[in-house]
Amino acid sequence: MDSRRCKCQWCGMKIAAPIGAQTITCPRCQSVTQLQPARNYGFANFPTANNNMSQGFPAFPSRPGRMSPNANNFQPQQFNPMSPQINNIRPPAVHGRKRAVLCGITYRGHPKSLKGSINDVLSMRYFLVEKLGFPNASVVVLTEDEKDPYKYPTKANIRSALRWLVQGCQPGDSLVFHYSGHGTRVRDHDGDEIDGHDESLCPVDFETEGRILDDEINNTIVRPLPRGATLHGIIDTCFSGTFLDLPFLCRINSRAGYFMWEDHRIRSYKGTNGGIAISISACDDHQNSGDTTAFTGFPTGALTYSFIQTLEQETKLTYGRLLMSMQKKIQEAQKGIGLNGENETQEPQLSSSEQFDIHSKMVAI
């Protein structure tokens, strides 16, 4: 039978597909890849260095230190934002206990591009695979460096990856969603936010396709979570305190170790289907976050780096200890070589689908 070479959109394995086949099942990770030919779309709607790039892009007061001072290195990459998306991907059956989606966006070529986002994602992938035992085939990475068009961080691809993350989730599963990129605040129109604003994720194509609101993120990866399953969000962006729109936000006095939970439920249920969802984010909803070269000499998100370092250096770690250790590392970076951001304290935040004692509950990813 005649065949053509193709590649699994998720684990990268090369597969021989029969001519005319519309889908193929990967023999390694069991994911289903659609084989429709890609159309030739480019960056017609994305601003280039020769365009007026200040028009249409929101003024991010966020992460000012992570924005490149010049945009003359813009290198258009061919990708297909209109390709048919993978809407019915089956999670890898043999790797279902641990699964992660890691998304890092630099917004290359834009005056407000970021420097550390892809470094953050690569560091997180290494940590999850090499240190925590996540199978490489179960870690989906979306960055502008990916050659696979389905792994380019467009709005449609991010949505598809988030659906994949929770699809078929079972008790005992450990899920991770890591995001490093721009975050913004938009006015809340459904009355479910205490501060009157929704938090949002900015895909690489948000100028034409729009942002992804915290309401949608919650509905996609939080609410379906079954009893016995755990989701951790590691959110390295500005205005991210309630990025997963979880019902409880922990307020911590880092000096005294005192904590209290704020109830953010107003008119809608924001919890899970019995599982537990925990978000560790870079800062409060009104704060900016930044990156720094203080830790490694190259740009990394302060939240991502301090999170990984704390988990690598300390054993039997509680969530309270994790937050306080991360805060100390970030403060040291601000006092040392410097945290690239505004002159305000960046305070990592903890939110959850349920209340617990942060000084006794152990971190388990």
Side-chain angles (χ1 to χ4, degrees):
M1 179 182 296
D2 292 337
S3 63
R4 60 189 176 106
R5 301 288 292 177
C6 62
K7 185 172 68 171
C8 174
Q9 303 290 351
W10 296 102
C11 72
M13 181 178 181
K14 293 182 179 180
I15 311 169
I19 296 295
Q22 296 185 351
T23 62
I24 189 73
T25 299
C26 176
R28 180 166 70 183
C29 71
Q30 302 301 309
S31 295
V32 177
T33 296
Q34 293 187 357
L35 301 178
Q36 287 87 341
R39 304 178 196 129
N40 185 22
Y41 288 87
F43 274 81
N45 295 322
F46 194 86
T48 65
N50 296 322
N51 293 336
N52 183 359
M53 300 175 68
S54 63
Q55 295 181 358
F57 204 98
F60 291 107
S62 50
R63 305 174 97 175
R66 304 189 70 168
M67 300 175 186
S68 175
N70 73 74
N72 294 325
N73 61 344
F74 184 79
Q75 297 290 330
Q77 301 179 25
Q78 294 299 316
F79 77 107
N80 184 359
M82 299 299 290
S83 292
Q85 299 303 309
I86 305 175
N87 295 317
N88 297 300
I89 299 169
R90 292 183 299 178
V94 295
H95 305 306
R97 307 299 289 183
K98 290 177 178 283
R99 204 178 312 159
V101 168
L102 316 179
C103 180
I105 311 176
T106 64
Y107 313 90
R108 286 177 180 160
H110 199 277
K112 296 185 178 182
S113 62
L114 304 178
K115 296 180 180 179
S117 297
I118 294 179
N119 293 336
D120 290 344
V121 163
L122 296 180
S123 296
M124 185 63 70
R125 178 173 63 181
Y126 177 84
F127 175 66
L128 293 178
V129 173
E130 300 298 329
K131 304 297 183 180
L132 297 186
F134 277 64
N136 192 56
S138 291
V139 178
V140 172
V141 173
L142 297 97
T143 73
E144 291 123 307
D145 282 351
E146 296 298 314
K147 304 301 182 183
D148 188 331
Y150 288 99
K151 294 182 182 179
Y152 202 87
T154 62
K155 182 176 182 178
N157 285 345
I158 294 172
R159 280 175 160 176
S160 180
L162 292 178
R163 289 192 295 269
W164 170 86
L165 182 65
V166 296
Q167 189 173 358
C169 183
Q170 299 177 3
D173 287 358
S174 177
L175 312 180
V176 171
F177 171 50
H178 174 228
Y179 173 68
S180 180
H182 272 315
T184 62
R185 303 175 80 199
V186 298
R187 186 167 297 281
D188 172 40
H189 293 291
D190 57 10
D192 67 344
E193 298 283 350
I194 288 179
D195 62 0
H197 290 87
D198 282 313
E199 287 64 52
S200 67
L201 178 160
C202 293
V204 71
D205 60 347
F206 78 94
E207 287 183 293
T208 56
E209 302 302 317
R211 305 169 180 85
I212 301 177
L213 298 185
D214 56 357
D215 294 341
E216 178 180 342
I217 296 172
N218 179 279
N219 190 59
T220 303
I221 63 175
V222 173
R223 296 194 187 188
L225 205 64
R227 185 173 303 279
T230 303
L231 166 71
H232 282 88
I234 299 99
I235 310 300
D236 203 346
T237 187
C238 295
F239 316 121
S240 55
T242 60
F243 200 82
L244 296 192
D245 219 14
L246 298 174
F248 302 105
L249 178 65
C250 189
R251 296 298 188 186
I252 305 173
N253 183 322
S254 57
R255 291 184 179 179
Y258 171 79
F259 72 94
M260 63 176 294
W261 290 96
E262 287 182 357
D263 191 338
H264 280 239
R265 295 171 296 181
I266 297 181
R267 53 180 297 179
S268 62
Y269 179 69
K270 301 182 179 183
T272 69
N273 191 29
I276 181 169
I278 294 173
S279 176
I280 299 168
S281 54
C283 58
D284 208 341
D285 282 344
H286 65 279
Q287 292 179 326
N288 295 318
S289 66
D291 65 10
T292 179
T293 58
F295 296 121
T296 62
F298 58 86
T300 58
L303 181 280
T304 299
Y305 188 85
S306 62
F307 174 82
I308 293 173
Q309 285 295 298
T310 301
L311 285 175
E312 286 186 332
Q313 294 171 358
E314 302 188 35
T315 59
K316 297 182 179 180
L317 199 64
T318 66
Y319 285 95
R321 177 60 186 164
L322 171 63
L323 265 291
M324 288 188 286
S325 180
M326 290 170 59
Q327 178 66 50
K328 181 179 179 181
K329 287 179 171 62
I330 291 174
Q331 288 176 347
E332 290 173 351
Q334 288 177 313
K335 294 177 182 178
I337 296 178
L339 184 67
N340 297 323
E342 295 184 355
N343 295 322
E344 65 172 308
T345 301
Q346 179 181 330
E347 301 173 342
Q349 301 292 306
L350 175 71
S351 59
S352 176
S353 58
E354 62 183 44
Q355 302 179 60
F356 56 85
D357 183 352
I358 66 170
H359 296 307
S360 63
K361 186 176 181 64
M362 307 301 295
V363 178
I365 300 177

